[in-house]
Amino acid sequence: GCGPIPGLLSSEIFNPRIRGAGMSLCFTTHWVFNFVIGQAFLPVVEAVGGPAVFIGFAGVCALSVFFVKAQVVETKGKSLDVITKELAAAK
């Protein structure tokens, strides 16, 4: 799974005025998808088999790497003002 990434990334990219609501939305979405995947896992394994499911997970992970490389702004060593300006310029 994503582990701590939703919490780390959302705390860095949201403006302080909306950070609480934004992080709440991120974590709610994260846990809803965790629940859905957890509930669907065994039925899907029974339907298509374990190797096919894990190949599907690997495909999603690979697509996630490409998405992050292309769309997620690097925040290391940057102030919130610089990050905000970069995100505004990217629109």
Side-chain angles (χ1 to χ4, degrees), residues 3-12 23 26-27:
I5 292 174
L8 293 173
L9 188 60
S10 63
S11 68
E12 292 184 358
M23 289 183 69
C26 285
F27 278 109

Side-chain angles (χ1 to χ4, degrees), residues 62-78:
L63 291 173
S64 297
V65 168
F66 292 120
F67 173 79
V68 168
K69 291 279 189 189
Q71 298 294 322
V72 177
V73 175
E74 175 60 62
T75 60
K76 183 178 180 180
K78 296 180 182 178

Side-chain angles (χ1 to χ4, degrees), residues 2-40:
C2 297
I5 292 174
L8 293 173
L9 188 60
S10 63
S11 68
E12 292 184 358
I13 63 171
F14 283 116
N15 188 302
R17 291 180 292 124
I18 62 165
R19 185 173 289 155
M23 289 183 69
S24 295
L25 180 62
C26 285
F27 278 109
T28 300
T29 304
H30 179 72
W31 281 105
V32 165
F33 279 103
N34 279 345
F35 178 77
V36 169
I37 291 168
Q39 294 300 307

